[in-house]
Amino acid sequence: MSAPISSRHSPARLQRLSTLLALVALLAAAWLAYRPGLSGDFLFDDFGNLPDIGATGPIHRADTLARYLTSGTADPTGRPLTLASFLIDTREWPAPPYPFKRTNVLIHLLNGLLLYLALARLGREFKLAVTPARVAALIGAGAWLLHPLLVSTTLYVVQREAMLPATFTLLGLLGWMQARSALQQGHIKRGTLGMLLAIGGGTLLATLAKGNGALLPLLVLLVEWLVLAPAQPMPSEPARRRLKLGVAVLLALPSAALLAWMIAGIPGYIHGTPLLRSWTMGQRLLSEARALGDYLGMLVLLKDSTLGLFTDAFAPSTGWLQPWTTLPCILLIAALIVFAIATRRRWPALSLAILFYFAGHLLESTWLPLELYYEHRNYLPALLLFWPLGVALGMPGPLPWLRRCAGMAILLALATLTYQRAGIWGDGYLQAQIWAAFNPASARAQAAAAQYQMEHDKPHLAAARLTMAMATHPDDLQIPVNLIGAQCRFGPASPAALDGLRRALSTAKNGGTLGFDWLNTAIDMAASHSCEGLDLDAAQSFIDAGRRNPNWSVIPGRRQDMQHLQGMLELARQDPDAALQAFNHALAEEPGPATALEQAATLGAHGYARQGLAHLDYWQTLPAPSQPSRGMPKLHAWVLAHQHYWEHEMAHLRATLAADAATQARPPSPSSRD
């Protein structure tokens, strides 16, 4: 006998169905909003990180997988979980960008779903009725999911490392609330295990994706303090004791340890900064107040983002009023934090959103010597920022339909803005030209726009752009490097561009890798006489300028780069013995098997197998390089040693060079002379 129609279509069931349909529609809208951006290109740091996928061969076996997953150098952990996630999209390099971007969008949708579940659960713990809690969660999660500021995280492939910590933070928060519920029901052991798995496991996984995953205990501590503890106290003494123990050991203690680590690291930061950046720690802290103020303007007021991906034009604050916005931003942040603490009982949702946001910025927007400004740093901190709006619009009161329509209008507006911004990210040429137009003071933006113009056979436009940029960025390597490249497309390299490159090489603080890579190209161009004005003597003057750079001369790696380039130049001059001597000097600066292999193979590839063997012999005379003492680099070194990787590579190359040397030494046969 079938159930009555009234039971099959009960109000509760209809509410659940309508919520499910609304959630599906929200996720579908997000997918459609991001879809135009899937056709975009790899950008900036993508090229510095993703090629590691194929650095030691396609990843189809356990040995190459182990080498790849331990190869990361960012953070002490190396971010292996993020590296592993890239294998979803390819097992070898090069690869197209579309699969990577598609996976990023799917992860963003997953995070939006997890955020909805977390906010709906928070709403119930907050003692909201079922419908207001769901409405608040839909609006709060939807506004985050569809916010245009997050496009620059979601469609920037390498920033998957900013997305995955949010995934595990949300899972950790959901697990903590579920464990709390078990304690409330009297399941002490299950609740205790749940808290341990949620915070211990969640923090581990989040941190293996990126270092700011270590903030999970602090973020959950804020949720516990401001919402869960006041709204849902434990009903029994055993449950209260176990919760207090869990809060102390799993939340408070790791948070205190993290803060202590940050404080202990300040002295080393102070002494290490001058060689790395153009600002001091004090200037960075002042600057971050302006950055946070700008982020909040984009998040809350929908202020248009003009910096794009290239934020090198964000000038550091050199004083409380230099620029004048520094002090107002500091006062604004202080006022918001004081307001959140003071109103935590009256408006706990708003208080939580504010404090969660600033706590989420604790690592990347304080003293660590990172670049001053990046939009992707808001991805995790902004998770709860729109929940108070959802709570306000979903609460019972007059004209509930009007407030919910207002919420839908907000989501629609955000989706439209995201669709427009994603469309720009889907067209690399258009994106580069827009960023350059909005950022005339950004050397990176101008160089990127010029590179796209050259790719679209517009070298004259690129050269004109870069000539103007060189006047305002005399110490920036990428401007003269790209200017010479553009000029060589249609004529000779100008003396002004060559002089500009020499000047930049002798003064630049950063850009050593860029200079190294381009100078290798310049040597090839000079050897092939493919650009008038760029000959071997000019290449020699570039290397000499880099050697004179006081910022590079104290860094062994940069000195090694210059000696290596000298060796490449000697090869272009067809002087193998001088090349061998330069490579030996380079190897001695920072002995390493990878360098020895590369240089010996280079000698062999140019037809000088005997010198290649001599270089490997010289490598054997050098002291063993120091091994990393901690973190993922230490594990990576162990993996390579366990696999005898370098021994196998050395033996294989030595055998190849020996065979080539024997062939080169053998006199030609009579038939070959005819």
Side-chain angles (χ1 to χ4, degrees):
M1 183 174 176
S2 62
I5 294 177
S6 59
S7 66
R8 291 203 306 265
H9 301 283
S10 63
R13 186 169 183 175
L14 289 174
Q15 284 181 349
R16 287 195 297 270
L17 181 59
S18 62
T19 300
L20 178 61
L21 291 175
L23 186 57
V24 170
L26 179 65
L27 295 174
W31 171 261
L32 293 174
Y34 273 97
R35 190 175 179 182
L38 296 177
S39 59
D41 300 329
F42 289 123
L43 295 166
F44 201 35
D45 282 344
D46 290 340
F47 296 106
N49 292 272
L50 297 177
D52 289 345
I53 295 172
T56 63
I59 304 174
H60 299 306
R61 305 193 312 268
D63 56 345
T64 53
L65 177 64
R67 293 197 294 271
Y68 169 64
L69 292 182
T70 60
S71 65
T73 56
D75 299 338
T77 68
R79 304 176 185 175
L81 201 55
T82 299
L83 296 182
S85 75
F86 293 136
L87 300 181
I88 297 171
D89 309 305
T90 189
R91 301 293 180 88
E92 55 192 11
W93 191 261
Y98 177 85
F100 292 88
K101 292 180 181 286
R102 179 187 57 201
T103 301
N104 273 27
V105 173
L106 292 176
I107 292 172
H108 187 55
L109 299 185
L110 172 63
N111 287 342
L113 175 61
L114 292 174
L115 180 58
Y116 166 78
L117 296 174
L119 294 181
R121 183 66 180 262
L122 269 179
R124 294 198 300 273
E125 300 287 353
F126 195 46
K127 297 185 178 178
L128 293 177
V130 173
T131 298
R134 290 175 179 170
V135 171
L138 281 169
I139 295 174
W144 178 87
L145 183 66
L146 295 169
H147 202 288
L149 183 64
L150 303 186
V151 170
S152 59
T153 305
T154 306
L155 292 178
Y156 186 13
V157 172
V158 77
Q159 288 312 324
R160 192 176 300 178
E161 62 192 14
M163 303 172 70
L164 291 175
T167 306
F168 296 111
T169 295
L170 289 167
L171 289 171
L173 176 58
L174 283 165
W176 177 265
M177 289 189 287
Q178 185 64 31
R180 264 186 127 267
S181 178
L183 289 178
Q184 285 181 314
Q185 296 168 17
H187 304 296
I188 305 300
K189 290 184 178 179
R190 191 170 73 191
T192 302
L193 180 60
M195 289 190 296
L196 179 62
L197 291 176
I199 303 304
T203 303
L204 176 64
L205 293 173
T207 305
L208 290 177
K210 191 178 181 180
N212 64 344
L215 291 169
L216 189 152
L218 176 60
L219 299 176
V220 176
L221 180 62
L222 289 172
V223 176
E224 175 68 29
W225 173 45
L226 295 169
V227 174
L228 299 178
Q232 296 290 348
M234 289 294 115
S236 66
E237 185 60 29
R240 281 194 292 273
R241 287 198 302 268
R242 194 56 57 93
L243 179 61
K244 286 182 179 179
L245 180 64
V247 169
V249 174
L250 297 174
L251 302 183
L253 186 61
S255 300
L258 179 63
L259 293 174
W261 172 81
M262 292 183 65
I263 293 171
I266 291 176
Y269 171 88
I270 292 174
H271 297 297
T273 298
L275 292 177
L276 298 174
R277 306 293 184 187
S278 59
W279 30 257
T280 65
M281 182 181 71
Q283 290 171 346
R284 186 178 203 278
L285 292 174
L286 292 173
S287 305
E288 288 309 300
R290 288 172 38 237
L292 289 170
D294 204 44
Y295 299 154
L296 285 171
M298 291 186 287
L299 284 164
V300 179
L301 305 177
L302 292 181
K303 174 175 152 308
D304 189 29
S305 171
T306 58
L307 293 179
L309 184 62
F310 303 117
T311 60
D312 50 310
F314 185 83
S317 295
T318 57
W320 294 90
L321 292 173
Q322 295 174 336
W324 71 267
T325 52
T326 303
L327 182 58
C329 287
I330 293 172
L331 295 176
L332 172 65
I333 293 169
L336 286 172
I337 293 173
V338 170
F339 170 81
I341 295 173
T343 60
R344 66 187 184 278
R345 292 188 177 89
R346 185 176 182 184
W347 295 313
L350 181 58
S351 175
L352 173 61
I354 294 171
L355 294 179
F356 190 100
Y357 178 77
F358 288 118
H361 275 286
L362 191 60
L363 283 178
E364 293 183 295
S365 299
T366 53
W367 61 264
L368 289 177
L370 307 171
E371 296 206 25
L372 296 177
Y373 186 109
Y374 271 126
E375 293 176 4
H376 67 255
R377 293 173 185 166
N378 292 277
Y379 191 86
L380 187 153
L383 283 172
L384 305 187
L385 200 57
F386 307 104
W387 185 48
L389 174 66
V391 171
L393 294 176
M395 290 288 283
L399 300 176
W401 61 271
L402 182 60
R403 286 183 282 117
R404 291 174 190 177
C405 286
M408 292 179 61
I410 291 171
L411 297 183
L412 181 60
L414 292 173
T416 302
L417 292 172
T418 292
Y419 179 85
Q420 293 173 344
R421 196 175 187 196
I424 295 173
W425 275 75
D427 185 334
Y429 182 85
L430 174 64
Q431 181 186 51
Q433 306 313 307
I434 289 176
W435 284 349
F438 278 107
N439 294 282
S442 168
R444 291 176 185 168
Q446 301 309 314
Q451 287 167 356
Y452 270 101
Q453 286 173 326
M454 285 188 279
E455 289 175 8
H456 285 73
D457 200 24
K458 299 176 181 179
H460 290 84
L461 292 178
R465 175 189 297 279
L466 293 166
T467 299
M468 294 177 60
M470 193 166 67
T472 55
H473 301 283
D475 297 329
D476 200 301
L477 270 176
Q478 58 196 321
I479 299 300
V481 158
N482 284 285
L483 176 56
I484 293 171
Q487 290 176 340
C488 288
R489 295 285 188 93
F490 60 82
S494 69
L498 298 174
D499 288 342
L501 178 56
R502 281 187 281 266
R503 180 177 61 249
L505 283 166
S506 63
T507 59
K509 283 193 173 182
N510 299 317
T513 302
L514 170 69
F516 176 78
D517 292 341
W518 187 85
L519 287 175
N520 262 314
T521 303
I523 291 169
D524 290 339
M525 294 171 66
S528 61
H529 307 287
S530 59
C531 179
E532 184 181 347
L534 185 58
D535 55 21
L536 294 179
D537 289 340
Q540 182 67 69
S541 72
F542 299 151
I543 296 172
D544 293 340
R547 284 173 169 162
R548 291 193 301 269
N549 189 323
N551 303 305
W552 294 356
S553 62
V554 296
I555 303 174
R558 290 289 171 263
R559 295 199 302 267
Q560 182 179 74
D561 289 344
M562 293 301 109
Q563 288 286 2
H564 180 89
L565 288 168
Q566 187 66 51
M568 297 301 296
L569 184 59
E570 300 301 346
L571 285 177
R573 290 170 171 160
Q574 300 183 2
D575 189 342
D577 292 330
L580 172 61
Q581 184 179 18
F583 284 152
N584 286 350
H585 287 317
L587 186 59
E589 288 287 354
E590 270 194 337
T595 304
L597 283 166
E598 178 189 358
Q599 293 173 337
T602 299
L603 287 164
H606 281 75
Y608 306 119
R610 182 176 60 80
Q611 284 80 5
L613 288 169
H615 190 59
L616 291 182
D617 292 338
Y618 178 73
W619 154 251
Q620 297 294 330
T621 69
L622 294 175
S626 59
Q627 295 298 312
S629 59
R630 61 173 65 90
M632 188 58 73
K634 181 177 181 180
L635 180 58
H636 183 63
W638 179 87
V639 167
L640 294 176
H642 181 72
Q643 294 181 358
H644 303 287
Y645 177 76
W646 295 121
E647 291 92 328
H648 293 319
E649 293 294 307
M650 288 283 182
H652 176 72
L653 179 59
R654 186 176 285 277
T656 301
L657 291 173
D660 290 345
T663 301
Q664 293 165 7
R666 187 181 304 124
S669 63
S671 60
S672 67
R673 290 196 297 265
D674 292 339

